[in-house]
Amino acid sequence: MFIRQIWVALVCYCQITNHVAASPRDDETFAKMIEHLRQTDNRLIRPSPTDETAALQNSYCPEILPLVIGFFVTSCHQSESSSIVNVNPVPKCTHAVEILTLCSTNHDTNRESIGVQMNVIPGLISMLRLPLLTVAPNPENGDDPEGTLSFADATRAAAAAGEAIWVLAFNHAENYDAFVRGGAVEGLSNLLVTCHGLYDNNAYADTQCYYPQMWAMAALQNLAASYCKTETGHCDWEWKMVNETDKHTKLVLSDDSPLKIDGEAVRLKIAKDEDLLDALGNWLCQGPVDDNVDPNRVSGWNLWPSEAILGHGYEELPSMVTWAAVGVWKNLAISQWTHELHFDEPFGCLCIVSLSDDWIEASKAHDALYHIGVANEEVDCFEERLRYLHDDFCQDEPSWEDSQRNSCATYKAEQLCVYADDLAEAHSDIESASEACCVCGGGTIFDPATCVDLEEWKDGDGDGCGVYEEHAWCFEHGGNVDGYGNGVSADTACCVCGGGLFIDQGGERNEL
């Protein structure tokens, strides 16, 4: 196998040198390949290819992959023992990796032909280090010292590598094993934990880190997953009694979903890394994405991740990141031993993210809650969802500001909660936003027991709040207004759905 890999690499290299006119060493050639493969598909996150790209994976990719792989294995591997980066090929390497990803998304044959090549997987892992090898950018204009690798190029290269790992590791035993043995989990973890703090909370550096952090977590999600012998590779999990002597149900694979790849070892690695868990928790609790658009920012500042497109600045938005963090928690929860050890704080945030209007965030949060044994989200997530849906359920610390004069409103508008504790420590603040601000998980919580339903409310079918609670109708029907309760929905009228009235200490009824 080793001799075959060397031979393939030499053949690829010879093909490159013998195709000067169409050589992928010309970055314009790479860009044209990407444009051809994407056609009109400019989605930022591509769980599956379009029909046009899928057809090209069969017809076009076999022609170009030897050239692209040959360039990548001879030009793009970053030595672990060196802090010197060959600056010139990095943007071209990024384009090469994007082609590998486009050709292999949901395509088993291309995924295998790429993964088997010598130095492809080690090369991808090595690219994760690039942001850590750059010189600090100028905080005024984002410029980098002349002759050095730009921070923007480094973070984009690392993001491309993370996305490629996300795709190539999915449901492919050999690739998966090579990434794990090659240190991908450690490389992705280091990128996620280290990137935003490289330059002392430099705002430019932080925004450039969001994109690689998103793909680092997406890749960790697929490495933490288990895969089954099903048509798609996904596993079907269910809660049931395994043995007659069991006192509690266990999360196990269904009979028609036999195990193919076990991610237990990766889940154990992640669970042992406290810094990584903190970062994953911070990003989880940053969600869900807000569907409100701020006209003073980039158009679509809080646009849903599932609708974001390339080339419009969405890569620099923190709102693009949470879905990937939710995916890691979803797969961590497959291992039941993680539930009591690691899910106390993430649980509330999963409840909130499950309300997201973006399907990527919501679906992963629902799966995570199922994996940790939440049988009825309406009941088990009541307090967390109530706190999120109604500001009056939680009160910020009055007049609180950090030492930089940022209020709780600023933390919410600027989405700073993910850095709340770091900022407090850096500026020696007595109280952090995570303690003072509801949006960051702090503030003062009202007792849900003081909530009462809107008097005599019934929907158009004559069903009251008690019926909604009994049948767990809030999630599916709570927002319905037309023909219901004289224009008042259950979400507004019923405590169980996040509405109702609170009674303050003076006995007054305060509508939320």
Side-chain angles (χ1 to χ4, degrees):
M1 176 63 74
F2 180 71
I3 295 175
R4 176 177 175 270
Q5 289 176 329
I6 295 177
W7 170 249
V8 171
L10 289 173
V11 170
C12 292
Y13 180 79
C14 291
Q15 285 178 313
I16 295 170
T17 57
N18 290 329
H19 289 76
V20 177
S23 170
R25 293 181 185 277
D26 176 4
D27 197 34
E28 185 178 349
T29 303
F30 274 162
K32 290 179 179 177
M33 289 179 180
I34 293 170
E35 183 179 0
H36 184 57
L37 282 166
R38 279 190 173 273
Q39 296 292 305
T40 58
D41 182 12
N42 289 315
R43 289 174 295 166
L44 185 71
I45 303 164
R46 301 170 57 258
S48 59
T50 61
D51 291 342
E52 292 81 1
T53 299
L56 290 170
Q57 288 178 326
N58 293 321
S59 61
Y60 183 58
C61 288
E63 297 178 8
I64 65 172
L65 279 177
L67 299 174
V68 178
I69 292 172
F71 169 79
F72 182 80
V73 300
T74 57
S75 304
C76 300
H77 190 282
Q78 302 295 325
S79 172
E80 289 188 21
S81 61
S82 175
S83 60
I84 300 174
V85 178
N86 188 355
V87 176
N88 293 328
V90 169
K92 300 177 186 179
C93 293
T94 302
H95 277 165
V97 174
E98 290 175 5
I99 294 168
L100 300 183
T101 300
L102 287 164
C103 283
S104 58
T105 303
N106 281 14
H107 198 287
D108 291 339
T109 302
N110 291 344
R111 190 180 288 144
E112 181 171 352
S113 66
I114 292 169
V116 75
Q117 304 301 325
M118 182 177 63
N119 277 340
V120 169
I121 287 178
L124 291 171
I125 296 172
S126 74
M127 289 178 69
L128 301 172
R129 298 174 56 240
L130 287 173
L132 316 182
L133 301 177
T134 56
V135 178
N138 186 321
E140 298 297 327
N141 54 25
D143 289 342
D144 301 88
E146 186 175 354
T148 65
L149 174 65
S150 79
F151 191 63
D153 283 346
T155 52
R156 185 164 290 277
E163 183 182 9
I165 297 171
W166 180 61
V167 167
L168 290 169
F170 180 85
N171 193 33
H172 192 284
E174 290 76 13
N175 288 357
Y176 180 95
D177 185 56
F179 278 121
V180 175
R181 287 188 293 104
V185 175
E186 292 78 7
L188 292 163
S189 301
N190 193 37
L191 174 63
L192 175 59
V193 171
T194 307
C195 189
H196 85 267
L198 282 174
Y199 304 123
D200 298 324
N201 294 304
N202 178 315
Y204 169 78
D206 282 351
T207 60
Q208 296 298 310
C209 281
Y210 297 143
Y211 196 39
Q213 286 177 315
M214 180 189 80
W215 284 122
M217 284 187 281
L220 283 171
Q221 168 192 244
N222 280 1
L223 291 171
S226 290
Y227 299 94
C228 290
K229 297 176 183 177
T230 59
E231 184 177 353
T232 64
H234 294 94
C235 296
D236 182 19
W237 300 92
E238 59 185 10
W239 286 92
K240 67 178 185 180
M241 297 286 189
V242 178
N243 302 307
E244 293 182 0
T245 56
D246 287 343
K247 295 182 178 179
H248 303 286
T249 57
K250 296 180 180 178
L251 184 66
V252 296
L253 289 169
S254 64
D255 294 337
D256 58 354
S257 184
L259 186 65
K260 175 182 177 182
I261 301 172
D262 189 357
E264 179 74 8
V266 172
R267 295 193 286 271
L268 183 60
K269 281 187 177 184
I270 294 173
K272 287 183 175 180
D273 190 333
E274 293 185 5
D275 290 336
L276 175 59
L277 288 176
D278 285 344
L280 291 169
N282 285 337
W283 277 116
L284 165 65
C285 296
Q286 189 76 352
V289 63
D290 187 350
D291 60 0
N292 294 319
V293 175
D294 184 345
N296 297 318
R297 295 188 178 276
V298 179
S299 178
W301 164 250
N302 284 321
L303 190 69
W304 298 343
S306 63
E307 296 186 359
I309 57 177
L310 290 166
H312 289 72
Y314 301 127
E315 302 94 323
E316 300 178 12
L317 303 182
S319 55
M320 295 295 109
V321 182
T322 292
W323 72 270
V326 181
V328 182
W329 287 107
K330 176 197 74 172
N331 289 333
L332 274 178
I334 292 171
S335 297
Q336 276 186 259
W337 53 266
T338 67
H339 297 177
E340 292 186 5
L341 292 175
H342 302 297
F343 274 86
D344 283 348
E345 293 182 14
F347 169 74
C349 296
L350 286 170
C351 287
I352 292 170
V353 176
S354 69
L355 295 172
S356 176
D357 290 323
D358 185 84
W359 71 266
I360 290 183
E361 287 187 344
S363 63
K364 292 181 184 298
H366 284 299
D367 287 346
L369 289 169
Y370 177 77
H371 290 167
I372 60 177
V374 174
N376 188 334
E377 291 181 25
E378 298 295 348
V379 175
D380 293 345
C381 286
F382 168 70
E383 181 174 330
E384 288 77 10
R385 287 176 170 178
L386 188 63
R387 170 179 175 164
Y388 171 72
L389 290 169
H390 296 289
D391 290 340
D392 288 349
F393 182 58
C394 178
Q395 183 176 8
D396 294 330
E397 187 74 24
S399 304
W400 179 88
E401 288 183 339
D402 66 15
S403 58
Q404 306 303 301
R405 305 300 300 273
N406 295 313
S407 66
C408 292
T410 304
Y411 272 77
K412 182 175 183 178
E414 300 293 333
Q415 297 184 310
L416 296 176
C417 291
V418 70
Y419 303 130
D421 292 335
D422 291 340
L423 290 170
E425 183 177 351
H427 300 292
S428 301
D429 290 341
I430 297 175
E431 188 176 29
S432 71
S434 61
E435 299 168 302
C437 304
C438 296
V439 70
C440 298
T444 301
I445 309 300
F446 287 103
D447 184 355
T450 63
C451 181
V452 295
D453 298 328
L454 199 63
E455 286 186 32
E456 301 182 358
W457 179 88
K458 294 184 184 298
D459 66 17
D461 295 324
D463 295 317
C465 295
V467 179
Y468 273 73
E469 180 175 8
E470 179 183 354
H471 295 286
W473 283 350
C474 295
F475 186 75
E476 186 173 357
H477 303 296
N480 292 341
V481 174
D482 294 341
Y484 282 73
N486 296 319
V488 178
S489 70
D491 283 350
T492 301
C494 305
C495 295
V496 70
C497 298
L501 306 171
F502 277 102
I503 302 176
D504 64 21
Q505 293 181 350
E508 297 293 329
R509 295 163 65 88
N510 299 317
E511 187 169 357
L512 292 181

